Amino acid sequence: MNYELDILIPVSFPENIRRVLDSISLLFGEDNIQLHLLHVTNFQEAYLLPNTMWVDVQKLQQDLLSGLAEEMIRVVEYVKTRKFKVKSTVTQGNIVDEIKVYCDEHLINLIAMPTHARKGISHLVLGSVTEKVIRSLSVPVLSVQPYPEKPIKR
């Protein structure tokens, strides 16, 4: 089946995906939409241990990916309560690079990303994945704030 839109949602646990889904639904409806849920972990950066001599790093990495895959199943089940069609992927690497590769391989029309709404020093130090994606890819990006002052109205 051909979908009108293939939309990528980079999922960072435990984000509130409901807000992103509500935004997509409001703008495009839910029929003929293929959602692609992508979770990218950077094992080296996020889980680098100071002394890995006694740790089986490969087993730790596999356990991590396994746990993320289980969490993704729960997210997919939630998304399936709506009319959207959904595919999911859990992978590892640099998040911006992996989003770019995924978009190229799956002909993504739109990326819908929740922001963490960081401000001030934390934004300067941690940066913004959403900003990096906007600057690095030619695919349009819908940035969704996670904590709205008012709910989305139809």
Side-chain angles (χ1 to χ4, degrees):
M1 174 179 195
N2 289 337
Y3 296 98
E4 289 181 19
L5 278 176
D6 280 88
I7 301 175
L8 173 64
I9 303 175
V11 178
S12 177
F13 304 114
E15 297 211 334
N16 185 354
I17 196 167
R18 179 194 56 80
R19 180 87 174 136
V20 176
L21 297 177
D22 288 348
S23 297
I24 293 168
S25 181
L26 178 67
L27 292 170
F28 308 108
E30 296 183 10
D31 295 318
N32 298 320
I33 302 289
Q34 174 72 59
L35 297 180
H36 299 257
L37 307 180
L38 175 66
H39 180 79
V40 180
T41 186
N42 190 330
F43 184 79
Q44 267 66 24
E45 286 181 15
Y47 302 98
L48 186 62
L49 303 173
N51 182 358
T52 58
M53 199 161 60
W54 303 107
V55 177
D56 183 346
V57 175
Q58 287 182 338
K59 180 171 179 356
L60 185 62
Q61 191 172 6
Q62 280 308 112
D63 290 347
L64 170 69
L65 289 174
S66 217
L68 291 172
E70 288 175 20
E71 182 66 26
M72 183 64 89
I73 289 169
R74 287 190 278 281
V75 173
V76 167
E77 290 304 316
Y78 172 73
V79 173
K80 284 183 175 179
T81 64
R82 317 271 293 250
K83 291 181 181 179
F84 299 113
K85 302 294 182 221
V86 62
K87 292 180 180 179
S88 66
T89 303
V90 174
T91 191
Q92 55 188 333
N94 174 280
I95 188 163
V96 177
D97 293 343
E98 293 300 321
I99 289 172
K100 183 175 171 111
V101 168
Y102 193 95
C103 287
D104 290 344
E105 289 177 355
H106 295 89
L107 303 175
I108 297 298
N109 306 108
L110 176 73
I111 301 169
M113 296 184 71
T115 64
H116 289 287
R118 290 187 185 109
K119 295 180 181 172
I121 297 292
S122 65
H123 175 73
L124 290 173
V125 172
L126 297 172
S128 167
V129 172
T130 304
E131 282 182 35
K132 291 174 187 171
V133 168
I134 290 169
R135 293 175 189 195
S136 302
L137 280 76
S138 60
V139 178
V141 177
L142 171 65
S143 176
V144 180
Q145 64 185 109
Y147 311 109
E149 294 179 17
K150 297 178 183 176
I152 295 175
K153 294 182 181 178
R154 291 189 171 253

